[in-house]
Amino acid sequence: MNDATPAPARRARVRAPELIGKGGWLNTGDTSYTLADLRGHIVILDFWTS
């Protein structure tokens, strides 16, 4: 009997889209950021509707 368990399946990597919106970035001193700029930093996103 073979007691070996199968290796876990690998998940495909999905790239996040750039964060672009109508209103632009708030509280950043008119600086827009890319995902590359934010890599390695903690980012809090707040989404709301009016």
Side-chain angles (χ1 to χ4, degrees):
M1 239 183 180
N2 188 356
D3 291 332
T5 57
R10 287 190 158 204
R11 291 185 182 192
R13 292 188 122 193
V14 178
R15 294 211 173 254
E18 288 293 332
L19 303 172
I20 301 171
K22 287 190 234 177
W25 290 81
L26 300 176
N27 301 322
T28 61
D30 292 328
T31 302
S32 294
Y33 293 99
T34 65
L35 290 180
D37 297 332
L38 301 172
R39 186 178 185 114
H41 294 84
I42 296 173
V43 178
I44 298 173
L45 302 176
D46 187 7
F47 296 92
W48 69 93
T49 60
S50 55

